[in-house]
Amino acid sequence: MRVGVVLPAAGAGTRLGPGAPKALRELAGEPLLVHAVRRLRECPSVGPIVVAAPVAHVTTVTTLLELYDVTVVAGGAQRPDSVAAGLAVLPADVDLVLVHDAARALVPVSVVESVIAALRAGARAVVPVVAVADTVKRVDAAGTVVATVPRADLRVAQTPQGFAREVLESAHAPRGVPPLGHSNDGHTDDAGMAEAAGVTVETVPGAAEAFKVTTAFDLAVAEAVLARGGARG
Ligand code: CTP
Ligand code: MG
């Protein structure tokens, strides 16, 4: 079964602060996106890769990734729009699809390969997860604690998330043109969309290094991880 990857990289990176779109921000002298694509190209099971780039940067991204044999498309306004744009151009012979955040630039090859192995073993949707380290509180609108949420059965979802192609396609198909003000449908990941469509989502162990670069602090952490020479496994 052929594995393709959709790499949503079209976000602005608002939480990172002013500057270029997040995927183009530099980590150890290279854009986050280049790190992410290089990791994926180190994975023996990964075939075609489609990158959804910020609409104003399609040419830049195409040039930047010339060495890595990827297809670049323009992303959309919300993450699901970018994923759908990438999915639409994946070659027809791809039957297993991974969706991977460009912002998770240091994902270990072993996590990618575990997701693929679970799909090959028959899972229809797979998400890498890690345990929650902190105690979790539910609060009301005023910020008063309403409950302490037991964390033993909570997991944080990472990417790449893997799907049988038809599962991902049908999860994204009903979106159509969203009603004004509802363009994100509340879904922050693809597994959530598959789950909402009634698909069973399996988990595999994620990794600390697969964390998402969201803030300037995260970028500093990523620099430190790279300097340590880790995150390769
Ligand atoms: N993404 C995308 N298209 C969008 C929004 C997000 O392809 N319209 C991608 C981002 O580039 C990122 C991944 O989805 O690789 C995860 O999103 P997130 O971490 O939220 O990135 P940004 O949306 O860029 O960041 P922010 O929310 O802080 O603006
Ligand atoms: Mg975002």
Side-chain angles (χ1 to χ4, degrees), residues 13-17 22 25-27 32 103 106 134 208 211-226:
T14 313
R15 288 168 289 178
L16 201 50
K22 181 158 69 181
R25 297 285 280 268
E26 291 201 348
L27 169 60
L32 278 175
L106 301 184
D134 294 307
F211 76 105
K212 185 160 67 84
V213 172
T214 304
T215 62
F217 176 80
D218 298 332
L219 207 47
V221 172
E223 295 270 1
V225 171
L226 268 183

Side-chain angles (χ1 to χ4, degrees), residues 2-3 6 9 38 45-46 60-61 67 75 95 103 112 114 132 162 164 177 183 187-188 192 200 212 221 224 228:
R2 197 154 185 239
V3 179
V6 174
R38 195 184 298 125
S45 310
V46 166
T60 311
V61 168
L67 286 178
D95 22 42
V112 181
S114 318
V132 176
V177 178
S183 54
H187 292 297
T188 52
T200 300
K212 185 160 67 84
V221 172
R228 194 189 64 177

Side-chain angles (χ1 to χ4, degrees), residues 63-88:
T63 308
L64 205 57
L65 297 176
E66 235 160 18
L67 286 178
Y68 299 99
D69 187 25
V70 302
T71 302
V72 181
V73 295
Q78 303 289 336
R79 187 181 179 282
D81 303 316
S82 299
V83 173
L87 193 52

